[in-house]
Amino acid sequence: MDADYVIDCKGLNCPMPVIKTKKAIDEMEPGQVLKVEASDKGALNDMPAFAKRTGNEIVESSEENGVFIFYIKKA
Amino acid sequence: MSEEKKKRMAIIASKGTLDMAYPPLVLASTAAAMEVETTIFFTFYGMDIINKKKYNHLQVAPIGNPAMPSPVPMPNIIGMLPGMTAMGTMMMKNMIKGINWPTIPEFVDTCLESGVKLLACTPTMEMTGLKKEDLVDGVVIAGAADYLDFALDANISLFI
């Protein structure tokens, strides 16, 4: 999947992936897609909670060698 | 989400040790990222978290704190020895660094940048002789009624 922006949150712990994601999304246009790479296991539940509360949509998520990848579309 | 009324969180931060300074800042910055309107009211020792002279030097004491991890098992009373608080603080700061967590000043900045309202309690300032210029820029001096006015409409209210 193509992303307009990518942020690397590998090695960061809760709540930093969520905070960095929000910062990145604030700079984007509606409809653009952000790719978030995180290693924090909390992100697995934190990202959906963040998306639900902010109205942004997780269009795809996966895991590769302990790295969680989320594609989030800005509302 | 915009058509709904924004959720609110109100926190009272009353402790000034390193371990107790993180929870209000972590929750507030996360809430702000989730578009929750958030206020932290700092009172008593909690004021140290927004005191420019102190917030980079918050400490944690091993004495009276049996939960504190120790490299070797030792009786808690050892914590009374000179230097043990500095040692415990150094250990915890290293642990915090080890998980790439921001420092207290960095977390305070993150809160302010993301729109968290930081209120400083006036009686605590009077009592301890603190001036507005001793506090982090962006902190608002306020009383209990101002905090309660916000907290009465909050979905989450915490005393830390």
Side-chain angles (χ1 to χ4, degrees), chain A residues 11 13-15 19 22-23 50, chain B residues 29-30 33 35 99-101 113:
Chain A
N13 275 276
C14 162
I19 288 170
K22 169 69 172 166
K23 255 191 184 167
F50 164 80
Chain B
S29 53
T30 308
E35 297 174 6
I99 63 162
N100 280 323
W101 246 15
E113 277 169 25

Side-chain angles (χ1 to χ4, degrees), chain B residues 56-75:
Chain B
N56 204 20
H57 311 287
L58 301 183
Q59 294 189 302
V60 59
I63 192 145
N65 184 2
M68 186 138 178
S70 168
V72 280
M74 59 172 88

Side-chain angles (χ1 to χ4, degrees), chain A:
Chain A
M1 170 155 207
D2 287 335
D4 299 289
Y5 295 92
V6 182
I7 53 168
D8 178 6
C9 297
K10 293 191 290 288
L12 295 180
N13 275 276
C14 162
M16 301 322 291
V18 166
I19 288 170
K20 286 195 153 233
T21 300
K22 169 69 172 166
K23 255 191 184 167
I25 280 190
D26 280 348
E27 313 247 305
M28 290 164 43
E29 301 292 329
Q32 286 187 319
V33 172
L34 174 72
K35 180 185 182 186
V36 181
E37 302 169 334
S39 54
D40 173 25
K41 286 186 182 67
L44 214 50
N45 291 325
D46 276 0
M47 283 301 165
F50 164 80
K52 181 178 137 202
R53 289 294 172 181
T54 55
N56 301 299
E57 190 195 349
I58 296 179
V59 284
E60 200 183 301
S61 58
S62 58
E63 190 201 332
E64 263 174 51
N65 310 319
V67 177
F68 305 105
I69 297 164
F70 304 89
Y71 289 89
I72 306 173
K73 191 171 165 186
K74 179 167 178 166

Side-chain angles (χ1 to χ4, degrees), chain B residues 11-54:
Chain B
I11 301 176
I12 296 176
S14 69
K15 305 284 196 296
T17 52
L18 186 61
D19 54 326
M20 294 305 273
Y22 273 97
L25 300 174
V26 169
L27 289 172
S29 53
T30 308
M34 292 170 83
E35 297 174 6
V36 176
E37 273 188 305
T38 306
T39 290
I40 313 177
F41 183 72
F42 296 91
T43 185
F44 277 79
Y45 305 114
M47 287 289 279
D48 287 4
I49 304 170
I50 47 167
N51 181 332
K52 280 192 282 200
K53 290 192 194 102
K54 291 189 171 177

